Amino acid sequence: MEIAGIKMKNPVMVASGTFGSGKEYGEYIDLNKLGAIVTKSVTLKPREGNPPPRIVETPAGMLNSIGLQNEGVEFFLKEHLPFLSKFDTPVIVNIAGETVEEYARLAKFLSGEPAVKGIEVNISCPNVKNGGMCFGIDPKLTIEVISSVRKATRLPIIAKLTPNVTDITVIAKAAVEAGADALSLINTVVGMSIDIETGKSRLGTQTGGLSGPAIKPIAVRIVYEVAKAVKAPVIGIGGIMTGSDAVEFFWAGAKAVQVGTANFIDTEASIRILKEIEDYVHRHPRAFNFS
Ligand code: RRO
């Protein structure tokens, strides 16, 4: 099958930020079996991330406030990409920036790397003051970022959108109009958890991004709305723990899915989910056309 011109063996990808740079999981699962690997967001310069605590468990999910911690694009290309390039699985690099120019420069950097098969443009990080979600909640800024990335690279572009907007179809149309080849839906939902003994947030930054099964119905609804509104393929993300969860996203209109929070509970979750999808497809041979 193929998405945005990226050839994949199957529709199960691993979601950015939940799979490190791939190496961390290589000991536990056969990376060759995945549809694609999406790496943790990289920025031009290294970032230390947010003050702790950065993770809180919540009913049916978790909140994170990592704050885009990463070692920068040059370190990524030197230290992580060579390992990933050994596998027969496309590597999609998630990029984030504080300015439109930073996104474009990152895209240029990655364009010269044969091992990079696509760029996922993160305009939806909820945990940084500048950039991130600021772009993805505004259709004009969405157009600016995506069109500048479009000018900077010939690689397939996947825009990763935030659910924290009133009408996601407006942002989705803007991203596609500006040159996105596919859309990843959804990034985390802004949330908060308070310790009632101290009256303080359980996260260093007060609020964070909610992921896991708690957000699955929101994600399925958004995939459904966007798949009807744009022609570009949609990749479904949000609380996928089983093959049945993934199948819900396919029925909603997704062409592929990304497994995120489930990786933290079970390192083999993505492979298990793929098998469960295969079992479903075997029982329902005419349900989907993965081409
Ligand atoms: O690093 C983070 O805090 C983070 C990012 Br970049 C993102 O896109 N989504 C998220 O929930 N956390």
Side-chain angles (χ1 to χ4, degrees):
M1 63 170 290
E2 173 264 315
I3 245 183
I6 304 166
K7 287 206 172 67
M8 308 200 303
K9 287 182 209 116
N10 64 67
V12 179
M13 315 161 73
V14 285
S16 176
T18 66
F19 210 72
S21 54
K23 222 181 208 164
E24 293 86 342
Y25 281 80
E27 291 172 39
Y28 302 105
I29 65 168
D30 181 358
L31 299 178
N32 282 317
K33 290 194 173 147
L34 296 170
I37 295 172
V38 190
T39 54
K40 166 75 185 160
S41 301
V42 289
T43 49
L44 272 181
K45 296 279 165 259
R47 287 179 65 110
E48 282 192 359
N50 288 337
R54 294 170 165 193
I55 300 271
V56 188
E57 276 195 52
T58 59
M62 59 175 272
L63 286 163
N64 86 81
S65 167
I66 308 304
L68 264 175
Q69 183 190 344
N70 78 101
E71 289 138 322
V73 67
E74 282 166 79
F75 185 92
F76 172 82
L77 294 180
K78 215 166 107 219
E79 300 297 328
H80 294 306
L81 193 60
F83 171 81
L84 289 174
S85 66
K86 287 190 284 197
F87 298 92
D88 180 29
T89 298
V91 176
I92 297 168
V93 180
N94 182 299
I95 61 169
E98 290 192 359
T99 62
V100 171
E101 199 212 343
E102 266 180 54
Y103 282 94
R105 284 183 62 196
L106 278 160
K108 266 221 174 86
F109 251 106
L110 296 170
S111 295
E113 299 290 333
V116 177
K117 300 293 184 245
I119 297 178
E120 188 177 68
V121 185
N122 186 353
I123 47 172
S124 44
C125 172
N127 299 326
V128 290
K129 278 203 198 81
N130 304 312
M133 204 174 93
C134 306
F135 292 113
I137 58 174
D138 180 329
K140 284 204 189 88
L141 293 178
T142 296
I143 288 180
E144 272 187 44
V145 175
I146 302 298
S147 52
S148 73
V149 172
R150 181 71 292 161
K151 281 188 205 115
T153 185
R154 293 172 70 173
L155 283 168
I157 296 173
I158 304 168
K160 184 161 179 179
L161 305 187
T162 176
N164 304 295
V165 293
T166 311
D167 183 355
I168 187 106
T169 63
V170 174
I171 308 290
K173 284 178 190 159
V176 173
E177 191 187 305
D181 301 294
L183 301 171
S184 283
L185 308 167
I186 57 174
N187 206 319
T188 51
V189 179
V190 177
M192 188 174 189
S193 172
I194 294 175
D195 177 340
I196 62 165
E197 296 310 318
T198 62
K200 295 204 167 103
S201 170
R202 290 196 170 91
L203 288 171
T205 50
Q206 315 308 317
T207 62
L210 183 64
S211 63
I215 69 164
K216 194 187 81 178
I218 300 174
V220 172
R221 181 267 297 175
I222 285 178
V223 165
Y224 174 74
E225 286 177 353
V226 171
K228 278 195 302 182
V230 300
K231 285 216 177 85
V234 169
I235 302 165
I237 322 165
I240 296 176
M241 312 300 275
T242 65
S244 312
D245 294 332
V247 168
E248 266 194 66
F249 279 90
F250 295 136
W251 278 122
K255 282 253 168 207
V257 290
Q258 292 182 10
V259 174
T261 303
N263 295 315
F264 295 137
I265 299 165
D266 173 9
T267 53
E268 294 173 30
S270 48
I271 306 293
R272 173 180 49 77
I273 289 166
L274 172 60
K275 278 201 204 103
E276 291 166 357
I277 295 170
E278 283 166 355
D279 288 347
Y280 179 89
V281 170
H282 194 70
R283 284 184 284 118
H284 302 83
R286 277 180 290 276
F288 311 115
N289 174 22
F290 294 114
S291 57

